[in-house]
Amino acid sequence: MQLRHLKAILPPTEGISKVTSLSWSSNNKRLAVVTTDRIVHLFDENGDRKDKFSTKPADPGGPKTYVVRGMAFSPDSSKLAIGQSDNIVFVYKLGTEWGDKKSICNKFHQSSAITCVAWPTQQPHEIVFGLAEGKVKVGQLRSNKPATLYAHPEGSYVVSLTCSPDGRAILSGHLDGTIYRFYFDDGVVGPSHSKLGHHVCVPYALAWGESIVAAGNDCKVVFYDSDGGVLQHFDYSGDENVREFTCAEFNPSGETVVVGSFNRYYVFSYNLHRQLWEESGVKIIDNMYTVTAFSWKPDGSRLACGSLCGTVDLYDACIRRHRYKGKFEFTYVSNSQVIVKRLSSGTRIVLKSHFGYEITKINIYEDQYLIAHTPETLLMGDLESCKLSEVPWSGSGNERFFFDNVQVCMIYNAGELSLVEYGRNEVLGTCRTEHMSPFLISVRLNEGRHAQEDNKKIAYLIDVQTIRILDLNTHITIATINHESRIDWLELNTRGSHLLFRDKKRQLHLFNLAKQERTTMLHYCSYVQWVPQSDVVVAQNRSNLCVWYSIDNPERVTVFPIKGEVEDIERSKGRTEVVVDEGINTVSYALDESLIEFGTAVEDRDYEHAVDILEPLEVTPETEALWQQLSTLALQDQKLSIAERCYAALGDVAKARFLHKVNKLSDQAATETGADGTEHYMVRAKLEMLNKHYKSAEGILLENGKVQDAINMYTEMHQWEEAVNVADLKNVPEAENLRRTHYQWLIETGQEEQAGAVKEKEGDFVGAISLYLKGGLPGRAAQVVGRVGPHTFDTGLLDTIATSLTKAAMHVRAGEYFERLSRYEEARDAYRRGNAYRRAVDLCRREFPSEVVQLEEEWGDWLVHQKQLDAAVNHFVEAGQSIKAIEAAIECRQWQKAAAIVEAQDPVTAAPFFKRIARHYEQARAYEEAERHYVRAGMPGDAVEMYCRVDKWEHAHRVAVTYMTDQEAAILYTKRARELEAAGKFKEAEKMYLTVKEHDLAINMYKKNRMYDQMIRLVSTFRKDLLTETHLHLAQQLESDANFKEAEKHYLEAKDWKSVVQMYRANELWDDAIRIARMHGGTNASKQVAYAWAVSLGGEAGAQLLSKFGLVEQAIDYAMESGAFMHAFELTRASMKNKLPEVHLKYAMYLEDEGRFKEAEEEFIKADKPKEGIDMYIHQQDWASAMRVAEQYDPSSVADVQMAQARLYIERKEHLKAEQMFIKAKRPEFAIKMYKDARMWEDAIRVAEDYLPSKVQEIHLELAASMAGGGGFGGQTA
């Protein structure tokens, strides 16, 4: 428990101003504080002072020298009891709201000073207070008189007083250390008091919670059990800082107690798990001085503490606090008590386990309904009505909660529905159901303005077609309604007297609980609802709106044509409207509020107002039904004038006239006796007559000596026998006249049967028979003959009776009559004509034995005609008609009896019957019996097919092997397999094929239906040699069908992975091709595929692909080959810098081909190949660029440039320029050779002389040789 100081609501004074008492009101709204200044300060729940008033002395004119010893609020928080040291207890009426007028409503003068005050929560009219003379008294508010509860034997001063947590008992501590206990009268055990124990010191601090705590000036805190036994004690006598204990107070749950001392107070908490008290903390407040009073707020959230110096501190008390979904705040003030606060409005409710169990889990549903769990109980509450319930519960944790009814919480767990009414700590009722839709459960609990306290009912579904209505008070089933269709909606009316329900066929039905009658109201209903707080029903039948204003007369209905669908019923401000959605618009149809108000008036039993409502209305079927309803209720409640008016409105003149007379009689009786006229015996008798309770009316009249009135009543109603019985009973002289009058009246009114009964009773049997025959009652005449004997009457009369019986088609009576007369043949024929075959057979067994067989057959035929086939079987057997017996037994489904008869027939006759019986057993799934009869019928094939249809292959095979040849079995199985194959039942067809070893047919079946996995399974089992070939064939087929994944599987099963790769390459599924190549051909194979993929992509995309697969060098080469040099540079710089010159070279060559010579020069230089750049310029005859590059990057190539230029000049015949180039290149020999080849000998000699003197002689020799050979001198000089 955490106690956090909030504020000081009353500041301290300079001197001593002891806070003598603190008291919180039960509604948590007020805190009363009083000090030695005798002024009561009233604070609100937040600690803000709202009011104050001065107390008064016992003697109005006396001095104010008294001290207030104690205060206590009444349980309803409207009164405050104040005990004073001047021998008086005042009770102030404060009201429940701030600003209410204050007054003294009770005074209790005593002979000694008041020392303490308590007000038990279960004793709202009794205040308990202790006196200095040792007595504990109670102030009785109703009588304004005190009474002594008990007195200390030695008159020891009462120092403390406390109430039990349940408010049914008190404890008092006395100056001698004794503690007494008193129990109030709880209606079971009377009041009693006893000594609880003796504390070791004066128990100034005394409180009662989970245990009893007592403490005093010995610095020890002792906990006692309810019988006074010591549970625990805490000794602080060794602590020099601890002084005497002065007061104690338990929190509302009784699990935490504070004990006050000097400058401190101790907090003790009860450990539920260890069942021990523990010190949970000590609060030390310097300069507070002695703690003189405590008061704990009833919800447990605040603790008020008063001290010797007049200060009052307010503390926030809680174990923990947290928020729930940002909407609520839970404050755990103890393990068993939680304050639930709605953050939006600040409203609070205290959730408390009355059994003291720890609250472990709290949920709030729909922002209104509270569900909390403890180890042994379940708590639930409605935050709007602030009603809480706690019931014992041992659920599974999988409970589902339903809050469709605002009065009751429905808990569904493991197929059982439990109902708990908010505000009651018990389960209202339970029922078993699987249907928890709010449309399939209806609960009504004392609804309506004048609802009966015990009117609690529930209607629910046992199954989809059965409704049960249960009385939740008595747990007796009121009605069980069996319906032929699935029920999709039901609801009780507010009074729980009628049930509406609708089925899936959209038929609407009404069930009257009192009459146990069901009525179909509509054959099609799309919407139905009770009008709120009434017994009016609104329903929609296609385009009609149907309204029943009188539910007791469902045939009286008001119909309105509408367009659209009914959405809702709204009732407010004296109007009731049906809202209809017409698509674009919403239209409201007003109902007749006067007719609806009539129902409210009837419910309130305001019959005069009900008449006033109906008076102005026209007489229609609806109003007529309401008049009828009002008349019935008025009669039940003895409102005779109202009932008379109702019957007059209904046009029932007879009843209206009768009630008019009864009203006059009632008024006359009231005038004469001065009592209620309806209680007069004649009025009561008349009303019984009106209700046709003649026996009750007779009893009332006879009790009051009105014999003649009773006789007259019966004679007026033509109940002569009853009148005669009354006359005989009371020995009235005119009884004989009554009999004659009765007989004469019967004759005159043509009631020969009753007249004959009178004659028969008088012993005039011939006269009785004559009357019976005259009245067409020959049977009664025959009964007279039977009772008296035929010898009494002449033959002519007997024959007349027989003829009359025959003419009246009373053949059985005629047969009995003839049998009494020993005319057996006529009796037999009469029995036959009357189909009384049992009597005819019994007669024939005695008189005509040879005709018994024929009669048995006739009897059987007649029973068949009457559809009594089971009874006919035995008669056909008795008659030896086996075929008829079998047919009858089969028709009435007496299969065992039929089989027993068939077995006695020859095989040819029995075969078709065995087949029919076998068919029955097959349908009934009695397959062994069906098999036996199929075999007996010579149809083993049908037995095999039967077993195949139900997948009993072993049984089918057994029958086939036992009763059929191999060829027959094979043909049957193959035929059956093809049928199953055509029906798509391939597994069953396979079993059939395999049973007769037709493996290829099974394989081919799966092939045709493209069920290749099943096909391969069978091939691997029965055709292993063809497995590889099958895989390849299937793979090719699947490849052509573009089912590549399946094709891959079969190629791989055939170990032909290259075909898989080729398939994926052909369809450009390169990822799959690479996957297969890597998996089955290794890295090199995957690289080959990747390269092929890159080739197919081309360009930069191909190079990127090769990089992706780790083929960097190949990617670079491919990038260069495809002209993607930028990508090639990126790859080279990132992964293969040694290959960079090669890329530059290739790029330079590419640029050269593109004619971009300057860029090509740069790339040649970057590739460290200036020679190639020089060659490029030479090839382009760009001698300046070539010379520049050569001079700058490859001086050794300068001569090569000059030589190349010289050769160009040679080709152009510009020998002098060529010579100059050769000389610059320091290759004069080439210049000499040029001139020699051109036969320009003089130039050759000139160059030689200038640059190669050693060659001059050689040139002259060559010139001479040339001249000697006939060659000319050569060309001209350059």
Side-chain angles (χ1 to χ4, degrees), residues 390-393 417-421 424-430 472 475:
E390 182 177 15
V391 296
W393 191 261
L417 176 64
S418 301
L419 304 176
V420 180
E421 185 179 0
R424 299 187 62 178
N425 296 328
E426 61 181 353
V427 176
L428 182 61
T430 59
L472 293 172
H475 304 290

PDB file of all heavy atoms in Angstrom, residues 390-393 417-421 424-430 472 475:
ATOM      1  N   GLU A 390     -21.216 -10.115  -8.022  1.00  0.00           N
ATOM      2  CA  GLU A 390     -20.095 -11.043  -7.863  1.00  0.00           C
ATOM      3  C   GLU A 390     -20.655 -12.435  -7.629  1.00  0.00           C
ATOM      4  O   GLU A 390     -21.486 -12.632  -6.740  1.00  0.00           O
ATOM      5  CB  GLU A 390     -19.189 -10.636  -6.693  1.00  0.00           C
ATOM      6  CG  GLU A 390     -17.989 -11.556  -6.539  1.00  0.00           C
ATOM      7  CD  GLU A 390     -17.042 -11.122  -5.422  1.00  0.00           C
ATOM      8  OE1 GLU A 390     -17.456 -10.286  -4.598  1.00  0.00           O
ATOM      9  OE2 GLU A 390     -15.912 -11.619  -5.369  1.00  0.00           O
ATOM     10  N   VAL A 391     -20.216 -13.377  -8.455  1.00  0.00           N
ATOM     11  CA  VAL A 391     -20.727 -14.745  -8.344  1.00  0.00           C
ATOM     12  C   VAL A 391     -19.547 -15.711  -8.298  1.00  0.00           C
ATOM     13  O   VAL A 391     -18.496 -15.456  -8.903  1.00  0.00           O
ATOM     14  CB  VAL A 391     -21.643 -15.096  -9.542  1.00  0.00           C
ATOM     15  CG1 VAL A 391     -22.877 -14.214  -9.551  1.00  0.00           C
ATOM     16  CG2 VAL A 391     -20.904 -14.969 -10.863  1.00  0.00           C
ATOM     17  N   PRO A 392     -19.689 -16.828  -7.593  1.00  0.00           N
ATOM     18  CA  PRO A 392     -18.627 -17.854  -7.623  1.00  0.00           C
ATOM     19  C   PRO A 392     -18.454 -18.354  -9.054  1.00  0.00           C
ATOM     20  O   PRO A 392     -19.429 -18.569  -9.771  1.00  0.00           O
ATOM     21  CB  PRO A 392     -19.176 -18.951  -6.693  1.00  0.00           C
ATOM     22  CG  PRO A 392     -20.186 -18.257  -5.831  1.00  0.00           C
ATOM     23  CD  PRO A 392     -20.781 -17.179  -6.664  1.00  0.00           C
ATOM     24  N   TRP A 393     -17.212 -18.530  -9.463  1.00  0.00           N
ATOM     25  CA  TRP A 393     -16.960 -18.923 -10.852  1.00  0.00           C
ATOM     26  C   TRP A 393     -15.657 -19.708 -10.946  1.00  0.00           C
ATOM     27  O   TRP A 393     -14.641 -19.333 -10.378  1.00  0.00           O
ATOM     28  CB  TRP A 393     -16.881 -17.675 -11.737  1.00  0.00           C
ATOM     29  CG  TRP A 393     -16.896 -18.002 -13.203  1.00  0.00           C
ATOM     30  CD1 TRP A 393     -15.844 -18.090 -14.050  1.00  0.00           C
ATOM     31  CD2 TRP A 393     -18.063 -18.298 -13.981  1.00  0.00           C
ATOM     32  NE1 TRP A 393     -16.273 -18.409 -15.313  1.00  0.00           N
ATOM     33  CE2 TRP A 393     -17.620 -18.543 -15.302  1.00  0.00           C
ATOM     34  CE3 TRP A 393     -19.412 -18.368 -13.691  1.00  0.00           C
ATOM     35  CZ2 TRP A 393     -18.507 -18.861 -16.330  1.00  0.00           C
ATOM     36  CZ3 TRP A 393     -20.293 -18.677 -14.714  1.00  0.00           C
ATOM     37  CH2 TRP A 393     -19.849 -18.916 -16.013  1.00  0.00           C
ATOM     38  N   LEU A 417     -24.919 -21.488 -20.974  1.00  0.00           N
ATOM     39  CA  LEU A 417     -25.175 -20.059 -20.841  1.00  0.00           C
ATOM     40  C   LEU A 417     -25.591 -19.764 -19.404  1.00  0.00           C
ATOM     41  O   LEU A 417     -26.542 -20.355 -18.892  1.00  0.00           O
ATOM     42  CB  LEU A 417     -26.276 -19.624 -21.814  1.00  0.00           C
ATOM     43  CG  LEU A 417     -26.725 -18.163 -21.716  1.00  0.00           C
ATOM     44  CD1 LEU A 417     -25.583 -17.229 -22.087  1.00  0.00           C
ATOM     45  CD2 LEU A 417     -27.938 -17.922 -22.604  1.00  0.00           C
ATOM     46  N   SER A 418     -24.861 -18.843 -18.761  1.00  0.00           N
ATOM     47  CA  SER A 418     -25.184 -18.422 -17.396  1.00  0.00           C
ATOM     48  C   SER A 418     -25.629 -16.966 -17.426  1.00  0.00           C
ATOM     49  O   SER A 418     -25.039 -16.147 -18.137  1.00  0.00           O
ATOM     50  CB  SER A 418     -23.970 -18.577 -16.477  1.00  0.00           C
ATOM     51  OG  SER A 418     -23.533 -19.922 -16.440  1.00  0.00           O
ATOM     52  N   LEU A 419     -26.662 -16.657 -16.654  1.00  0.00           N
ATOM     53  CA  LEU A 419     -27.212 -15.304 -16.609  1.00  0.00           C
ATOM     54  C   LEU A 419     -26.987 -14.726 -15.223  1.00  0.00           C
ATOM     55  O   LEU A 419     -27.280 -15.374 -14.208  1.00  0.00           O
ATOM     56  CB  LEU A 419     -28.712 -15.320 -16.917  1.00  0.00           C
ATOM     57  CG  LEU A 419     -29.136 -15.970 -18.243  1.00  0.00           C
ATOM     58  CD1 LEU A 419     -30.650 -15.987 -18.349  1.00  0.00           C
ATOM     59  CD2 LEU A 419     -28.546 -15.239 -19.424  1.00  0.00           C
ATOM     60  N   VAL A 420     -26.459 -13.503 -15.175  1.00  0.00           N
ATOM     61  CA  VAL A 420     -26.233 -12.812 -13.905  1.00  0.00           C
ATOM     62  C   VAL A 420     -26.890 -11.441 -14.012  1.00  0.00           C
ATOM     63  O   VAL A 420     -26.556 -10.646 -14.888  1.00  0.00           O
ATOM     64  CB  VAL A 420     -24.736 -12.657 -13.591  1.00  0.00           C
ATOM     65  CG1 VAL A 420     -24.557 -11.927 -12.269  1.00  0.00           C
ATOM     66  CG2 VAL A 420     -24.059 -14.024 -13.548  1.00  0.00           C
ATOM     67  N   GLU A 421     -27.848 -11.194 -13.121  1.00  0.00           N
ATOM     68  CA  GLU A 421     -28.519  -9.897 -13.100  1.00  0.00           C
ATOM     69  C   GLU A 421     -27.647  -8.899 -12.371  1.00  0.00           C
ATOM     70  O   GLU A 421     -27.150  -9.168 -11.267  1.00  0.00           O
ATOM     71  CB  GLU A 421     -29.872 -10.027 -12.405  1.00  0.00           C
ATOM     72  CG  GLU A 421     -30.695  -8.763 -12.442  1.00  0.00           C
ATOM     73  CD  GLU A 421     -32.042  -8.928 -11.769  1.00  0.00           C
ATOM     74  OE1 GLU A 421     -32.325 -10.042 -11.277  1.00  0.00           O
ATOM     75  OE2 GLU A 421     -32.798  -7.947 -11.722  1.00  0.00           O
ATOM     76  N   ARG A 424     -27.066  -8.271  -8.305  1.00  0.00           N
ATOM     77  CA  ARG A 424     -27.370  -9.441  -7.480  1.00  0.00           C
ATOM     78  C   ARG A 424     -26.180 -10.384  -7.505  1.00  0.00           C
ATOM     79  O   ARG A 424     -25.637 -10.684  -8.574  1.00  0.00           O
ATOM     80  CB  ARG A 424     -28.626 -10.154  -7.987  1.00  0.00           C
ATOM     81  CG  ARG A 424     -29.863  -9.272  -7.934  1.00  0.00           C
ATOM     82  CD  ARG A 424     -31.109 -10.041  -8.278  1.00  0.00           C
ATOM     83  NE  ARG A 424     -31.363 -11.117  -7.327  1.00  0.00           N
ATOM     84  CZ  ARG A 424     -32.413 -11.937  -7.367  1.00  0.00           C
ATOM     85  NH1 ARG A 424     -33.320 -11.767  -8.322  1.00  0.00           N
ATOM     86  NH2 ARG A 424     -32.572 -12.903  -6.484  1.00  0.00           N
ATOM     87  N   ASN A 425     -25.810 -10.871  -6.335  1.00  0.00           N
ATOM     88  CA  ASN A 425     -24.612 -11.702  -6.218  1.00  0.00           C
ATOM     89  C   ASN A 425     -24.948 -13.187  -6.301  1.00  0.00           C
ATOM     90  O   ASN A 425     -24.572 -13.981  -5.426  1.00  0.00           O
ATOM     91  CB  ASN A 425     -23.886 -11.394  -4.905  1.00  0.00           C
ATOM     92  CG  ASN A 425     -23.373  -9.984  -4.865  1.00  0.00           C
ATOM     93  OD1 ASN A 425     -23.005  -9.427  -5.889  1.00  0.00           O
ATOM     94  ND2 ASN A 425     -23.350  -9.394  -3.681  1.00  0.00           N
ATOM     95  N   GLU A 426     -25.661 -13.546  -7.354  1.00  0.00           N
ATOM     96  CA  GLU A 426     -25.968 -14.953  -7.585  1.00  0.00           C
ATOM     97  C   GLU A 426     -26.272 -15.143  -9.066  1.00  0.00           C
ATOM     98  O   GLU A 426     -26.668 -14.205  -9.759  1.00  0.00           O
ATOM     99  CB  GLU A 426     -27.161 -15.398  -6.734  1.00  0.00           C
ATOM    100  CG  GLU A 426     -28.439 -14.631  -7.033  1.00  0.00           C
ATOM    101  CD  GLU A 426     -29.588 -15.083  -6.153  1.00  0.00           C
ATOM    102  OE1 GLU A 426     -29.401 -16.063  -5.417  1.00  0.00           O
ATOM    103  OE2 GLU A 426     -30.665 -14.474  -6.218  1.00  0.00           O
ATOM    104  N   VAL A 427     -26.056 -16.368  -9.505  1.00  0.00           N
ATOM    105  CA  VAL A 427     -26.370 -16.692 -10.898  1.00  0.00           C
ATOM    106  C   VAL A 427     -27.880 -16.818 -11.024  1.00  0.00           C
ATOM    107  O   VAL A 427     -28.509 -17.601 -10.316  1.00  0.00           O
ATOM    108  CB  VAL A 427     -25.661 -17.994 -11.338  1.00  0.00           C
ATOM    109  CG1 VAL A 427     -26.090 -18.369 -12.759  1.00  0.00           C
ATOM    110  CG2 VAL A 427     -24.152 -17.826 -11.270  1.00  0.00           C
ATOM    111  N   LEU A 428     -28.448 -16.018 -11.895  1.00  0.00           N
ATOM    112  CA  LEU A 428     -29.900 -16.008 -12.055  1.00  0.00           C
ATOM    113  C   LEU A 428     -30.412 -17.321 -12.625  1.00  0.00           C
ATOM    114  O   LEU A 428     -31.464 -17.820 -12.222  1.00  0.00           O
ATOM    115  CB  LEU A 428     -30.308 -14.840 -12.962  1.00  0.00           C
ATOM    116  CG  LEU A 428     -31.806 -14.642 -13.212  1.00  0.00           C
ATOM    117  CD1 LEU A 428     -32.523 -14.379 -11.907  1.00  0.00           C
ATOM    118  CD2 LEU A 428     -32.022 -13.479 -14.172  1.00  0.00           C
ATOM    119  N   GLY A 429     -29.682 -17.883 -13.568  1.00  0.00           N
ATOM    120  CA  GLY A 429     -30.101 -19.151 -14.171  1.00  0.00           C
ATOM    121  C   GLY A 429     -29.083 -19.608 -15.193  1.00  0.00           C
ATOM    122  O   GLY A 429     -28.215 -18.849 -15.637  1.00  0.00           O
ATOM    123  N   THR A 430     -29.173 -20.881 -15.558  1.00  0.00           N
ATOM    124  CA  THR A 430     -28.296 -21.450 -16.577  1.00  0.00           C
ATOM    125  C   THR A 430     -29.129 -22.275 -17.552  1.00  0.00           C
ATOM    126  O   THR A 430     -30.209 -22.773 -17.196  1.00  0.00           O
ATOM    127  CB  THR A 430     -27.215 -22.356 -15.951  1.00  0.00           C
ATOM    128  OG1 THR A 430     -27.859 -23.420 -15.228  1.00  0.00           O
ATOM    129  CG2 THR A 430     -26.329 -21.573 -15.005  1.00  0.00           C
ATOM    130  N   LEU A 472     -36.949 -18.071 -14.830  1.00  0.00           N
ATOM    131  CA  LEU A 472     -35.656 -17.969 -14.164  1.00  0.00           C
ATOM    132  C   LEU A 472     -35.774 -17.947 -12.643  1.00  0.00           C
ATOM    133  O   LEU A 472     -34.764 -18.107 -11.957  1.00  0.00           O
ATOM    134  CB  LEU A 472     -34.930 -16.712 -14.650  1.00  0.00           C
ATOM    135  CG  LEU A 472     -34.501 -16.745 -16.121  1.00  0.00           C
ATOM    136  CD1 LEU A 472     -33.964 -15.389 -16.545  1.00  0.00           C
ATOM    137  CD2 LEU A 472     -33.480 -17.827 -16.373  1.00  0.00           C
ATOM    138  N   HIS A 475     -36.931 -21.950 -12.250  1.00  0.00           N
ATOM    139  CA  HIS A 475     -36.162 -22.850 -13.110  1.00  0.00           C
ATOM    140  C   HIS A 475     -37.038 -23.967 -13.681  1.00  0.00           C
ATOM    141  O   HIS A 475     -36.584 -25.092 -13.897  1.00  0.00           O
ATOM    142  CB  HIS A 475     -34.971 -23.450 -12.355  1.00  0.00           C
ATOM    143  CG  HIS A 475     -34.063 -22.405 -11.776  1.00  0.00           C
ATOM    144  ND1 HIS A 475     -33.256 -21.601 -12.555  1.00  0.00           N
ATOM    145  CD2 HIS A 475     -33.865 -22.000 -10.499  1.00  0.00           C
ATOM    146  CE1 HIS A 475     -32.584 -20.768 -11.784  1.00  0.00           C
ATOM    147  NE2 HIS A 475     -32.939 -20.981 -10.519  1.00  0.00           N
TER     148      HIS A 475
END
